[in-house]
Amino acid sequence: MDDGAGPRASRIANLILTAGLLGGIALVVGPILRWSHFGAYVAERWIVIGGTGAVLHAAALFGPKAWRSTLAVVSVTLVASAYLFEVAIAYDWIEPDAAQDAEEAAWRASVPNYDTRMKLEVLEDLRAEGQDAWPDIGQATLFGGLDVDGRRLVPISGVATATTVYCNESGQRTVYVADEHGFNNPRGLYDGAADVVIVGDSFAHGACVPQGEDVASQLRRARPDLAVVNLGYGGAGPLTVQATLAEYARRLKPRDVFWLYYSGNDLRDTQLELTSDVLTRYLEDIDFTQNLWDARAGFDPVLRAFIDAKEAERRAAGAYVPPPVPLGPTLKLQQVRRLFGLKPFPDPQGPFARAAAQTKARVERWGGRLHFVYVWNWPHEPTGERYRKAEVLEIVRGLGIPVIDTAAVLADATTQYYPSRFGGHLSPKGYRALAEAMARALPASDPGASP
């Protein structure tokens, strides 16, 4: 007796295949219609995936009946597997980079005297020795601002004049004594005008090398005739660069400013910075300032108290427990898309383009020259397409800003410029190569002369 199971199964298969066909078409049409949002690198990948899926589903839907149920089952299995994989990554049930992590762990074990202490342990050890030790603090942690005498301020540097505990990629933890404004410099550099100022994120800050081996220190050795001030800090994106110029660089009026732009995250940092109404004001109003230079004595104790509270939270939490993963990102397969390079990188035409123009205008206000240093995200960026390098450089060059592309600076025997072949920040040799390239962009002697 025919209970209708066969026809029902066929209808279900047809529905699945039709959905797959429409989904494949959507994956082709969507990136084409929103090409500027996706960018060529991601859009082309989606079009290949969508086109392949659409063709296969159409072939099964309009081809022999024997194909239908088979491909329908395969489609459902693939979709279910993708979501299982997403959940497994999101909740740390599996580690996609486990093989590389194991290899990197083996490398660390081979490095003599590799310091395995966590940052909190290093802080406690230094404080036990009587040092005024504090951690660096990521910029995003401060975007909400601090309440200082009834005003809400967003600091853009660390604790002033303190022993600062930073990162560890080479086997030895970076520890330095911060200057009067919380940056990685020797003290006493703010007494007069500067010839050169460096702004940017961790590559400008000096991660993860000993004090004296960062790019600013290397530039001072390459050009001892110039006063070089490092105003870089880890996590600083294009809007924080605006704040750095407004709050500190304009007081120093340097003839040359080097903006170290990191391809791996500066565009994403721009999106995050836009959530801060204080940082957004720097983009909207070139005259806006928090007067951080003069307010240092008032907000430094508040910053110390804020960091103290964060440390207490970390100690109370004990072992790291991953937070619940929101449903929205899971439904969008956020981790899977990131892993396979299918997540659109922010379009540089927009806030970044405005920030680049604003940065140039700020520096030119005091008669300075801006240099844009594109920090190459090796080994994850062999061509730069994923991080929209060509578009970023087109914007910058279109503004008449000279560019130093570290893809050329670090192209020779690239692995020796990193603590390990796994990438990360630069080694002392890498920072030296970068400093030498920056020195070549400067005048031969008189900082006021034309290069």
Side-chain angles (χ1 to χ4, degrees), residues 101-123:
D101 289 348
E103 192 176 353
E104 192 168 353
W107 171 78
R108 288 197 300 269
S110 70
V111 176
N113 302 316
Y114 196 105
D115 189 351
T116 59
R117 292 176 300 168
M118 301 297 290
K119 187 178 291 187
L120 278 175
E121 295 177 84
V122 177
L123 284 167

Side-chain angles (χ1 to χ4, degrees), residues 230-250:
N230 176 15
L231 299 180
Y233 206 83
L239 268 64
T240 304
V241 166
Q242 304 301 305
T244 306
L245 295 172
E247 302 296 339
Y248 299 103
R250 70 180 179 87

Side-chain angles (χ1 to χ4, degrees), residues 272-285:
L272 186 60
E273 290 170 324
L274 287 169
T275 64
S276 168
D277 56 354
V278 173
L279 292 181
T280 302
R281 289 192 64 185
Y282 288 102
L283 189 61
E284 296 172 343
D285 181 3

Side-chain angles (χ1 to χ4, degrees), residues 41-396:
Y41 178 88
V42 174
E44 289 168 359
R45 289 186 166 207
W46 276 118
I47 289 169
V48 169
I49 292 171
T52 302
V55 168
L56 290 176
H57 285 86
L61 192 60
F62 300 108
K65 290 184 178 181
W67 295 4
R68 298 179 189 176
S69 58
T70 300
L71 189 57
V73 171
V74 170
S75 296
V76 172
T77 302
L78 287 175
V79 171
S81 298
Y83 277 104
L84 286 173
F85 192 46
E86 171 74 18
V87 172
I89 298 173
Y91 284 97
D92 293 333
W93 294 340
I94 64 168
E95 175 51 65
D97 300 321
Q100 178 176 310
D101 289 348
E103 192 176 353
E104 192 168 353
W107 171 78
R108 288 197 300 269
S110 70
V111 176
N113 302 316
Y114 196 105
D115 189 351
T116 59
R117 292 176 300 168
M118 301 297 290
K119 187 178 291 187
L120 278 175
E121 295 177 84
V122 177
L123 284 167
E124 290 167 354
D125 290 344
L126 290 172
R127 288 167 180 170
E129 296 171 2
Q131 295 195 45
D132 181 29
W134 294 85
D136 73 292
I137 184 162
Q139 292 293 296
T141 310
L142 298 170
F143 284 173
L146 304 177
D147 185 3
V148 182
D149 298 328
R151 294 177 57 206
R152 189 159 60 88
L153 296 179
V154 175
I156 53 176
S157 59
V159 177
T161 68
T163 298
T164 304
V165 179
Y166 199 13
C167 51
N168 180 3
E169 290 181 353
S170 66
Q172 298 302 314
R173 178 73 59 176
T174 295
V175 178
Y176 65 89
V177 179
D179 67 18
E180 300 91 323
H181 288 288
F183 293 102
N184 185 6
N185 291 296
R187 296 186 198 178
L189 295 183
Y190 299 99
D191 297 336
D195 298 313
V196 177
V197 157
I198 300 172
V199 296
D201 63 2
S202 53
F203 284 89
H205 190 166
C208 298
V209 292
Q211 189 169 35
E213 300 294 346
D214 55 280
V215 67
S217 298
Q218 303 269 15
L219 184 57
R220 292 186 192 108
R221 285 197 285 274
R223 293 297 305 271
D225 57 311
L226 301 179
V228 179
V229 178
N230 176 15
L231 299 180
Y233 206 83
L239 268 64
T240 304
V241 166
Q242 304 301 305
T244 306
L245 295 172
E247 302 296 339
Y248 299 103
R250 70 180 179 87
R251 296 286 193 105
L252 300 169
K253 295 181 171 55
R255 180 60 181 171
D256 290 276
V257 173
F258 287 94
W259 174 11
L260 271 60
Y261 167 93
Y262 177 50
S263 62
N265 58 28
D266 267 15
L267 286 181
R268 294 202 190 283
D269 286 345
T270 307
Q271 291 184 316
L272 186 60
E273 290 170 324
L274 287 169
T275 64
S276 168
D277 56 354
V278 173
L279 292 181
T280 302
R281 289 192 64 185
Y282 288 102
L283 189 61
E284 296 172 343
D285 181 3
I286 198 170
D287 295 313
F288 172 71
T289 177
Q290 301 180 80
N291 294 312
L292 294 180
W293 183 295
D294 297 320
R296 186 87 224 181
F299 76 73
D300 219 53
V302 180
L303 179 59
R304 288 171 177 257
F306 177 83
I307 296 173
D308 259 341
K310 290 294 181 182
E311 284 186 32
E313 289 176 10
R314 180 67 60 88
R315 289 188 178 92
Y320 171 72
V321 178
V325 178
L327 180 61
T330 301
L331 292 176
K332 295 177 183 178
L333 295 173
Q334 179 171 278
Q335 298 293 337
V336 171
R337 289 186 295 123
R338 177 193 58 80
L339 185 64
F340 292 101
L342 297 170
K343 191 173 181 181
F345 215 67
D347 185 357
Q349 293 288 354
F352 169 77
R354 290 173 59 199
Q358 187 91 299
T359 302
K360 182 173 186 284
R362 288 182 186 277
V363 174
E364 290 181 344
R365 267 188 159 192
W366 65 71
R369 296 173 294 195
L370 176 64
H371 307 260
F372 186 82
V373 183
Y374 184 92
V375 181
W376 191 35
N377 185 21
W378 180 90
H380 310 292
E381 188 189 5
T383 64
E385 292 179 3
R386 180 173 183 173
Y387 300 106
R388 311 187 78 153
K389 175 180 179 179
E391 297 167 73
V392 168
L393 294 186
E394 181 181 7
I395 290 169
V396 173

Side-chain angles (χ1 to χ4, degrees), residues 203-204 215 218-219 258 260 373-375 404-406 409-410 417 426 428-440:
F203 284 89
V215 67
Q218 303 269 15
L219 184 57
F258 287 94
L260 271 60
V373 183
Y374 184 92
V375 181
I404 297 174
D405 185 354
T406 62
V409 175
L410 305 178
Y417 292 101
L426 298 173
K429 179 173 184 178
Y431 284 115
R432 182 168 66 251
L434 180 54
E436 289 170 353
M438 292 161 63
R440 289 193 292 271

